[in-house]
């Protein structure tokens, strides 16, 4: 069974920072693009950031300049550094892995809650 294990969510004030982590198996990590999605209450799940196996990144317009996705090949872990957080960033954040970087949605983590207070 594929496992993506997230950590790092929590409650933060607007303007603050959080870092999410997602650990997975070596085979998944080395052969898939890794992504972070988020889903706010009543909204559709949206792709926030993606990083390819080669390290290329892409971001949703709403987080460009504030969020940074990175991967540690030695630890089979992907990170999402979130700075200058806004209340509208409040959502459940899901780590994902997939065969394409356009929608890396073949494998999912369990989700971690991020709440940004105003």
């Amino acid at each position: 069974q594929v496992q993506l294990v997230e950590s790092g969510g929590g409650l933060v004030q607007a303007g603050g920072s959080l870092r999410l982590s997602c650990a997975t198996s070596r085979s998944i990590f080395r052969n898939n693009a890794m992504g972070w999605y988020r889903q706010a209450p009543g909204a559709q799940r949206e792709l926030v950031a993606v990083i390819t196996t080669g390290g290329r990144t892409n971001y949703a317009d709403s987080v460009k300049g504030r969020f940074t996705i990175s991967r540690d090949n030695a630890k089979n872990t992907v990170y999402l550094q979130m700075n200058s957080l806004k209340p509208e960033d409040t959502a459940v954040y899901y780590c994902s892995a997939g065969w394409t970087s356009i929608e890396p949605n073949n494998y999912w983590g369990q989700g971690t809650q991020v709440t940004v207070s105003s």
Side-chain angles (χ1 to χ4, degrees), residues 11-12 16 21 80 97 99 112:
L11 173 65
V12 65
S21 301
L80 185 67
W99 306 321
T112 185

Side-chain angles (χ1 to χ4, degrees), residues 41-95:
Q44 288 189 333
R45 193 173 295 190
E46 64 169 340
L47 180 60
V48 173
V50 62
I51 186 166
T52 68
T53 54
R56 287 181 291 120
T57 59
N58 199 20
Y59 299 91
D61 288 343
S62 58
V63 307
K64 280 181 181 177
R66 300 188 298 121
F67 290 11
T68 302
I69 189 170
S70 61
R71 56 194 295 157
D72 185 331
N73 292 334
K75 297 182 178 179
N76 301 324
T77 299
V78 63
Y79 302 98
L80 185 67
Q81 177 66 44
M82 304 184 294
N83 299 328
S84 301
L85 282 161
K86 305 175 181 179
E88 51 263 43
D89 294 318
T90 295
V92 178
Y93 283 70
Y94 296 91
C95 178

Side-chain angles (χ1 to χ4, degrees), residues 95-112:
C95 178
S96 72
W99 306 321
T100 75
S101 60
I102 296 175
E103 286 285 354
N105 57 5
N106 298 102
Y107 310 102
W108 293 97
Q110 79 283 1
T112 185

